[in-house]
Amino acid sequence: VLGLLVWSLIAATTYHLHAAYGWVMFVSLFFWILTLLFFVTYLLQLHEKFYMIPWPLVLMIYNAVATVLYITAFVTCAAAVQPTSWRQWDYNRRAAASFFACVTMITYGVSTFFSFRAWKGLGSNAATSQVTDHA
């Protein structure tokens, strides 16, 4: 949802007049589509059919790359916002897109942390940590 907000807010402006927003559009749209594909993969449990793929590692790498590229997109978007813009609605949408790019970047960063824990096997819950073998 956050990535959708970023690219839809940028797309609602005259972004084609500023080259910096092309990068922001690419990053936000690319990762929005890939995140949607991963979501559908897990929703339909297709990851269980492709058991030979190390999904925790794939998700960790994906989230780490998304975090790094969203950092560049956030900085680019925030630096390109011009408060003296002659179109007030473009300024508002670009400023909101910068905010949501920052929130999206933080979200991907948190997902990277949790996918790293899942990859390392540190994500045990209360039920699995209480089980002991008495046999």
Side-chain angles (χ1 to χ4, degrees):
V1 173
L2 296 170
L4 172 69
L5 284 172
V6 173
W7 71 259
S8 63
L9 284 166
I10 293 295
T13 66
T14 55
Y15 72 93
H16 58 280
L17 299 176
H18 304 281
Y21 291 113
W23 174 249
V24 178
M25 279 292 288
F26 169 75
V27 169
S28 59
L29 196 55
F30 179 75
F31 284 109
W32 182 75
I33 290 171
L34 282 180
T35 301
L36 195 61
L37 288 174
F38 276 124
F39 177 72
V40 169
T41 300
Y42 273 84
L43 186 68
L44 299 177
Q45 297 180 353
L46 296 176
H47 64 285
E48 292 177 0
K49 294 185 192 250
F50 299 106
Y51 57 88
M52 70 289 291
I53 298 173
W55 287 105
L57 178 63
V58 169
L59 285 177
M60 185 193 69
I61 292 170
Y62 169 74
N63 286 322
V65 170
T67 302
V68 170
L69 290 182
Y70 251 104
I71 289 171
T72 65
F74 162 65
V75 170
T76 302
C77 190
V81 174
Q82 300 169 351
T84 58
S85 176
W86 60 278
R87 293 182 161 184
Q88 185 63 29
W89 59 86
D90 274 0
Y91 168 74
N92 291 339
R93 290 177 185 150
R94 290 176 181 161
S98 296
F99 171 76
F100 285 114
C102 180
V103 174
T104 306
M105 172 195 66
I106 291 168
T107 304
Y108 275 118
V110 171
S111 292
T112 303
F113 172 73
F114 285 120
S115 58
F116 174 76
R117 287 181 56 88
W119 175 59
K120 284 295 192 182
L122 301 173
S124 65
N125 58 27
T128 58
S129 64
Q130 299 295 322
V131 175
T132 58
D133 260 341
H134 293 296

